[in-house]
Amino acid sequence: ALIHGTLADSDDYFPFGSMAQYATAHDLDAKVRSTYVLADTESGQKRVRVPLNATGTGIGRAEVEGQLDRILADPSLLQTIADAYEAIHPERDQYTAPYLTRDVYQLSDGYQAGPPVTVELARWTVQ
């Protein structure tokens, strides 16, 4: 399965997928991007971190990153994150406005060089 995944450059048989991600050196002077979701809440808290995991929203960060182009084209998809959080935590302070956000870190010799640049990619008002 590992050989098939590597030769086909496929992860269909995860964890027996392509080993290419481990085979090359990374640029030690590159930019690193970290995408996450913040939200305002019903009680007035601003820009709290939304837990993108099984117990927080049931939606993983990788799932959000995998749908990034769709969310950018249609920010109403952020409603799903608010709805998922409410379904898991109906007793908690609910989200009123989720923000898809990205931090961009510049590396220098593999180390963070300066503070990250934060960019808001999309926002939505919960319906």
Side-chain angles (χ1 to χ4, degrees):
L2 180 60
I3 292 170
H4 169 2
T6 300
L7 293 176
D9 194 24
S10 168
D11 61 359
D12 290 344
Y13 301 104
F14 181 82
F16 302 106
S18 172
M19 301 302 284
Q21 64 181 324
Y22 306 108
T24 58
H26 295 282
D27 183 356
L28 298 179
D29 296 319
K31 291 182 179 179
V32 176
R33 292 165 180 82
S34 176
T35 304
Y36 54 95
V37 177
L38 300 174
D40 297 341
T41 69
E42 290 175 326
S43 68
Q45 289 183 297
K46 299 291 183 190
R47 309 270 174 144
V48 297
R49 190 78 174 238
V50 173
L52 296 175
N53 56 47
T55 59
T57 58
I59 300 169
R61 182 173 139 183
E63 293 175 78
V64 172
E65 290 176 344
Q67 298 295 320
L68 191 59
D69 288 341
R70 288 186 63 217
I71 296 169
L72 294 176
D74 182 6
S76 72
L77 294 173
L78 292 170
Q79 178 78 39
T80 304
I81 294 171
D83 293 344
Y85 183 80
E86 182 177 23
I88 294 172
H89 306 287
E91 74 290 351
R92 293 193 186 165
D93 194 18
Q94 297 302 308
Y95 301 136
T96 58
Y99 304 86
L100 182 62
T101 310
R102 175 183 286 157
D103 287 343
V104 180
Y105 299 86
Q106 179 63 53
L107 298 182
S108 177
D109 290 327
Y111 294 95
Q112 183 177 332
V117 174
T118 301
V119 179
E120 181 183 299
L121 302 174
R123 71 169 66 187
W124 178 251
T125 300
V126 173
Q127 308 297 307

